[in-house]
């Protein structure tokens, strides 16, 4: 372990702060993992964590986590409280922050199963929604999450934090909507798109077949290419015309879980 960093002007500190920006994350193919809970899961899943920065006052609290990281070859760097205040992310950082390589996100890297269940998101804007969707996707045990034309990237620190570690448990692919549509069609996966205009309720569809569920941004819906898919709706008895996209995704996913468990 290197000598403690005490200056907020240290080049490493400046580089960590830059990783909050999507451009720098993508240019360096790196991401931030904020918090002990997410880091424990990342180490357990052999996620490509390269360095862990921790405030000097939490070294004892997270001694087991730091020891596990050390034996797996992760570099450890202690920093002062002032430095961690500079590099920590979110309102209540818990004094420990990891840097990892961004894993591959090609469609070809998604798992191959006999009865796949994919969730496709298109045009999402809010990191919190994408993080919440990852949590639901993990709980539902889906084959993979496919992110299309998103306005926020999956390695945004707010996505990572909101996912509670699911960013490293759910296989993720990133591609354009036309590319995803064709990829699913070629594999004979039934494509079902959530839209308020659909006639069929989501519970009327057989989700025990290879399936992909598609959800779009709340204000814009999905693009025209998904109009070739099977439309399904979630019935709504109130006066608002849409659900939060993360809630809608959860409803659809757990209907698939229910059907497949019977």
């Amino acid at each position: 372990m290197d000598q403690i960093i005490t200056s907020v002007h240290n080049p490493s500190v400046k580089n960590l702060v830059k990783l909050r920006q999507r451009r720098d994350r993508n240019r360096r193919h790196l991401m931030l993992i904020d918090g002990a809970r997410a880091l424990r899961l990342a180490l357990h899943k052999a996620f490509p964590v390269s360095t862990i920065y921790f405030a000097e006052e939490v070294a004892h609290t997270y001694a087991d986590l730091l020891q596990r990281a050390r034996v797996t070859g992760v570099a450890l760097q202690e920093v002062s409280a002032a430095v961690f205040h500079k590099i920590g992310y979110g309102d209540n950082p818990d004094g420990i922050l990891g840097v990892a390589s961004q894993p591959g996100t090609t469609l070809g890297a998604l798992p191959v199963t006999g009865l796949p269940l994919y969730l496709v998101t298109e045009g999402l804007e809010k990191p919190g929604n994408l993080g919440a969707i990852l949590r639901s996707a993990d709980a539902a045990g889906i084959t993979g999450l496919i992110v299309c034309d998103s306005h926020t990237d999956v390695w945004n620190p707010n996505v990572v934090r909101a996912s509670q570690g699911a960013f490293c448990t759910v296989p993720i692919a990133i591609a354009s909507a036309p590319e995803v549509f064709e990829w699913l069609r070629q594999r004979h996966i039934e494509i079902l798109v959530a839209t308020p205009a659909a006639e069929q309720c989501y519970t009327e569809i057989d989700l025990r077949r290879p399936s992909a569920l598609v959800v779009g941004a709340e204000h814009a819906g999905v693009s025209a290419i998904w109009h070739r898919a099977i439309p399904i709706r979630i019935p709504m008895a109130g006066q608002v015309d849409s659900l939060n996209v993360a809630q809608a995704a959860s409803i659809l996913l757990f209907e698939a879980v229910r059907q497949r468990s019977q």
Side-chain angles (χ1 to χ4, degrees):
M1 185 167 59
D2 294 335
Q3 186 176 5
I4 183 172
I5 296 176
T6 58
S7 172
V8 295
H9 302 294
N10 184 286
S12 294
V13 174
K14 293 180 178 180
N15 286 332
L16 285 170
V17 172
K18 288 179 181 178
L19 286 178
R20 297 177 184 176
Q21 305 302 317
R22 182 175 188 171
R23 181 181 62 183
D24 280 274
R25 288 194 298 273
N26 291 343
R27 180 177 60 83
R28 297 161 62 191
H29 304 288
L30 296 174
M31 59 179 288
L32 299 172
I33 303 175
D34 175 50
R37 184 176 184 177
L39 277 170
R40 288 186 194 279
L41 192 51
L43 292 173
H44 177 71
K45 299 296 292 184
F47 201 77
V49 181
S50 57
T51 308
I52 291 177
Y53 295 81
F54 62 97
E56 53 187 331
E57 65 267 23
V58 304
H60 178 72
T61 304
Y62 301 125
D64 60 329
L65 189 160
L66 296 173
Q67 175 59 22
R68 179 166 188 173
R70 183 182 291 108
V71 299
T72 56
V74 177
L76 302 179
Q77 178 60 64
E78 189 174 7
V79 302
S80 67
V83 168
F84 199 87
H85 181 75
K86 181 75 172 180
I87 65 175
Y89 204 84
D91 295 331
N92 298 294
D94 56 6
I96 191 163
L97 177 73
V99 177
S101 299
Q102 295 182 10
T105 54
T106 63
L107 289 168
L110 289 174
V112 177
T113 65
L115 187 60
L117 174 63
Y118 296 105
L119 177 65
V120 181
T121 67
E122 184 186 46
L124 298 195
E125 297 178 346
K126 297 179 181 179
N129 280 338
L130 189 51
I133 285 171
L134 276 165
R135 290 178 69 179
S136 295
D138 173 81
I142 72 170
T143 312
L145 171 68
I146 305 175
V147 179
C148 299
D149 310 322
S150 180
H151 298 286
T152 184
D153 70 304
V154 295
W155 312 126
N156 182 307
N158 286 321
V159 174
V160 173
R161 173 180 277 258
S163 79
Q164 293 289 299
F167 68 90
C168 64
T169 65
V170 177
I172 300 172
I174 302 172
S176 67
E179 183 182 2
V180 173
F181 186 92
E182 187 61 22
W183 186 85
L184 293 169
R185 190 190 64 79
Q186 289 178 357
R187 285 156 182 79
H188 307 290
I189 295 170
E190 190 166 67
I191 306 171
L192 305 133
V193 58
T195 173
E199 294 184 2
Q200 277 191 301
C201 178
Y202 73 103
T203 55
E204 299 170 353
I205 300 293
D206 187 355
L207 296 172
R208 295 170 296 177
R209 296 175 288 198
S211 305
L213 300 166
V214 183
V215 294
E218 294 153 37
H219 70 284
V222 295
S223 61
I225 193 167
W226 302 111
H227 296 171
R228 296 152 61 188
I230 299 171
I232 56 174
R233 65 179 173 85
I234 298 171
M236 299 179 62
Q239 298 181 47
V240 296
D241 60 0
S242 68
L243 285 172
N244 170 274
V245 65
Q247 293 175 329
S250 295
I251 291 169
L252 298 175
L253 287 176
F254 281 94
E255 172 62 14
V257 171
R258 184 191 70 80
Q259 290 187 21
R260 293 177 179 214
S261 66
Q262 293 179 346

